[in-house]
Amino acid sequence: MKNLGRLAALAGLAAAIWLVWRGHPEVALRLLRTAGWGLLLAAVAHVLPMLANARDWQIIILSRRRPGLWRMLGLVWLRESINNLLPVARVGGEVAAFRAMRRQGLSGATIVGSLIVDTQLTLISQVLFTVAGIGYLLAHSNSTSLRLAGHLAWGVAGLTPLLVVFCLIQRASPFERATRVLNRFLGGRLTALVGESAQIDELIRRTWRRRWIIVQYIFVWQTLQCVGIAFELWLALRFMHVHLSLVACFVFESLIQAISSAAFFVPANLGIQEGGFVLIGGALGLASPAALALAGARRIRDLVIFVPGLLWWQWTESHQPVSRKT
């Protein structure tokens, strides 16, 4: 698995270099120089969607001891830093967040339940935003946008049934059933985990029964998160003196997220991100150099926001033991 991650990183790096070489790098660099320190401001603006992400995760934690908004922001920062920069298949951040929340005194069942519902609702939101993006491409049709819309529509059609099954299977208490089977297979060694697995299933069902929380999560906080990241893109382009409407930036972000999620196994989305920016930018009328410059602006954001997040994670892991409190 480690070797696969390295191979994916090397392949992605090679693809990124090839895309930059083919995409008039001198023009892209000139646009980045034009933006100058404005790119730092655009990077710092990522705190806004992180706050929205912190709030949507917070409202699905069914515990009186759930962390406050600023602690949730730290957990989101930690999770995004790991998932965006390391070859952890988008689950390493969840593991690190679990450990951090255990140190804050939350039970394992509460944390796992919130992470699972968070993943489910994020995927549902992503499908909805992707469908909206496809609709925008069809309404502003050109040959590139129609081809891209077609490919994305097939992807959504393939993902939706799996997502529906993923959400419905929770009614069958999957964690408790799986733990009981493993417990029998291992001769009773997992007896203590059966009860906790049942708690996870119950917490997931309780969260889904709170319809107003589900509506808030998807249509308020997830939407604000996507708008916040679209604002980052719009701000970076404005500093480059390139025009793209905020609505188009929203579509851009919703579609790049879909592509990035499909390539979760590539560390830092090397090559995938650059290729996605060029492909989606072309469909939205953005020239290839401008799209590459925008991809470069996102890499600057990764350095400014997520590298410090990795350093903070290393510090917390080496200085704070995991609490045994349940």
Side-chain angles (χ1 to χ4, degrees):
M1 197 69 181
K2 186 183 293 185
N3 290 333
L4 180 61
R6 290 171 180 169
L7 288 174
L10 288 173
L13 181 60
I17 292 171
W18 181 79
L19 283 166
V20 170
W21 178 71
R22 286 288 302 270
H24 303 287
E26 69 285 353
V27 179
L29 287 172
R30 186 164 64 246
L31 288 171
L32 290 172
R33 284 197 297 269
T34 299
W37 288 99
L39 296 179
L40 181 60
L41 180 60
V44 173
H46 187 64
V47 173
L48 298 176
M50 285 172 64
L51 272 169
N53 191 190
R55 180 56 181 162
D56 67 33
W57 187 8
Q58 184 189 45
I59 64 176
I60 60 173
I61 298 176
L62 303 184
S63 172
R64 294 179 180 178
R65 305 186 64 180
R66 71 182 184 186
L69 185 60
W70 293 111
R71 282 197 172 184
M72 291 302 303
L73 178 61
L75 291 167
V76 168
W77 181 37
L78 173 67
R79 186 170 67 172
E80 284 195 24
S81 299
I82 295 170
N83 285 345
N84 280 283
L85 295 184
L86 298 182
V88 290
R90 298 296 176 102
V91 295
E94 276 66 22
V95 173
F98 176 90
R99 290 172 60 83
M101 294 170 86
R102 288 289 282 155
R103 285 193 288 265
Q104 295 174 16
L106 287 170
S107 72
T110 298
I111 300 167
V112 173
S114 75
L115 287 170
I116 291 170
V117 175
D118 182 58
T119 300
Q120 291 173 326
L121 293 177
T122 298
L123 288 172
I124 291 171
S125 303
Q126 196 167 93
V127 168
L128 293 175
F129 294 149
T130 302
V131 170
I134 291 171
Y136 183 93
L137 291 178
L138 292 174
H140 299 75
S141 60
N142 57 55
S143 59
T144 303
S145 65
L146 288 176
R147 283 197 301 271
L148 178 59
H151 292 313
L152 289 169
W154 278 111
V156 169
L159 176 63
T160 301
L162 296 175
L163 185 57
V164 171
V165 171
F166 180 46
C167 292
L168 291 179
I169 201 173
Q170 68 198 11
R171 297 176 179 270
S173 300
F175 288 96
E176 182 183 3
R177 289 174 182 270
T179 306
R180 287 187 184 279
V181 170
L182 287 172
N183 187 45
R184 285 197 296 269
F185 181 74
L186 296 174
R189 296 178 185 175
L190 299 181
T191 302
L193 293 179
V194 174
E196 190 163 8
S197 299
Q199 289 178 39
I200 294 171
D201 289 322
E202 177 58 26
L203 282 166
I204 293 172
R205 286 193 292 267
R206 282 175 55 199
T207 305
W208 275 94
R209 284 197 292 265
R210 300 190 176 194
R211 305 295 171 79
W212 175 236
I213 287 180
I214 303 300
V215 170
Q216 279 188 71
Y217 185 106
I218 296 174
F219 295 103
V220 178
W221 301 110
Q222 279 285 304
T223 301
L224 285 175
Q225 184 180 347
C226 200
V227 168
I229 303 178
F231 176 68
E232 287 178 47
L233 298 178
W234 179 86
L235 198 59
L237 287 170
R238 292 291 292 181
F239 283 119
M240 296 178 198
H241 303 299
V242 176
H243 175 73
L244 194 67
S245 70
L246 188 58
V247 172
C249 287
F250 182 92
V251 172
F252 198 121
E253 178 56 29
S254 66
L255 299 182
I256 199 67
Q257 284 295 327
I259 292 174
S260 297
S261 295
F264 63 88
F265 55 89
V266 181
N269 280 319
L270 282 170
I272 303 299
Q273 181 168 287
E274 287 72 19
F277 270 66
V278 171
L279 181 64
I280 296 169
L284 295 174
L286 200 62
S288 178
L292 282 174
L294 194 57
R298 176 146 295 185
R299 294 297 180 192
I300 291 172
R301 182 202 72 180
D302 292 349
L303 291 173
V304 171
I305 302 294
F306 296 148
V307 170
L310 289 181
L311 295 175
W312 176 63
W313 169 53
Q314 288 297 304
W315 186 89
T316 56
E317 286 293 323
S318 60
H319 288 78
Q320 299 183 41
V322 176
S323 172
R324 296 183 180 274
K325 189 172 184 178
T326 59

